[in-house]
Amino acid sequence: MSLVSADGHLTIPHGTNYIDYKSWEKWGVDEETVKTVTFPATLTSIGWGAFIGFNSLVTLPIPATVTSIGYGAFQGCSSLVTVTIPDSVTNIEGSAFHGCSSLVTLTIPGSVTNIGRHAFRGCSSLVTLTIPDSVTCTEVYAFAECSSLVTVTIPDSVTSIGDGAFCGCCSLVTVT
C-alpha cells in the first residue's frame, strides 16, 4: 500500500513521533510527487532535513503536537506557498525554510522564542512579516534574500538581531 495518493497526498503513518532526513525512504515515498502532507497526531518533532528536496510540496499544516522544527526541515521546498506553524512550536532551527521561494503566507506563532540562522533565507515571495512578542532573538541571515519583503514588524522583546538578518531584502520599505 502506497502512502502517497495519485494526487500527491502523503499520509505519514500513525504512531510516527519523529521524522528526519530520509525517513520517507523507508515508506517508499518519491519526494518529487508529494504535494500535501497529513501528519499523525503522534508526531512531536520534525527533525533535521525531514522534507529537504520535496520540490512539489505546496501546503503544510503542521499539527499542534509538534514542538520543534529542525535544521533544514523544509529547505528547498520551492513550491511551498503556505505554512501553518502551530502554537506548540517553540523553536525554528536554522535553515528550516531556507529556499522556500514560493512561500507567500507565514505566521510565526507567539510560542516561538528563537528564529535560527538562515531560517527563512531566500523566501523570495514573502511580502509581510510580523515577528511575535515571544521572540527574543533572530539569528544571522534569518530573513536574508527575502527580496519581496516590504513590511517587517519587530517587537520590543527582540534583544538581538543577527548580522545580515535582512541582507538582500531589496524591497523592504517599512520596519516597525
Side-chain angles (χ1 to χ4, degrees), residues 13 34 56 58 69-70 74 87 90 101-102 109 116 126 140 174:
V34 176
S56 298
V58 175
I69 299 173
F74 301 99
D87 288 334
T90 58
S101 56
S102 297
L126 194 60
V140 298
T174 305

Side-chain angles (χ1 to χ4, degrees), residues 60-173:
L60 191 65
I62 299 170
T65 54
V66 172
T67 58
S68 67
I69 299 173
Y71 185 87
F74 301 99
Q75 184 173 346
C77 292
S78 57
S79 297
L80 192 59
V81 175
T82 303
V83 174
T84 303
I85 302 172
D87 288 334
S88 56
V89 173
T90 58
N91 189 34
I92 300 171
E93 291 187 27
S95 294
F97 296 94
H98 184 171
C100 293
S101 56
S102 297
L103 187 61
V104 174
T105 305
L106 170 66
T107 301
I108 300 172
S111 54
V112 173
T113 58
N114 185 60
I115 299 171
R117 298 170 162 254
H118 308 273
F120 296 97
R121 184 176 190 159
C123 293
S124 56
S125 296
L126 194 60
V127 176
T128 302
L129 172 67
T130 299
I131 298 172
D133 290 335
S134 56
V135 173
T136 58
C137 175
T138 62
E139 295 186 25
V140 298
Y141 299 101
F143 300 98
E145 300 167 11
C146 291
S147 56
S148 296
L149 193 59
V150 174
T151 304
V152 175
T153 302
I154 304 170
D156 291 338
S157 60
V158 174
T159 58
S160 175
I161 298 174
D163 290 341
F166 296 98
C167 176
C169 295
C170 54
S171 298
L172 195 56
V173 175

Side-chain angles (χ1 to χ4, degrees), residues 10 16 45 47-48 54 64 69 104 108 122 155 161:
L10 167 62
T16 303
S45 182
W48 179 85
F54 277 63
I69 299 173
V104 174
I108 300 172
I161 298 174

Side-chain angles (χ1 to χ4, degrees), residues 26-57:
K26 66 184 169 198
W27 302 316
V29 172
D30 174 10
E31 71 270 25
E32 293 297 321
T33 62
V34 176
K35 294 179 183 172
T36 58
V37 179
T38 296
F39 296 101
T42 54
L43 189 71
T44 58
S45 182
I46 299 172
W48 179 85
F51 290 90
I52 198 167
F54 277 63
N55 298 324
S56 298
L57 189 61

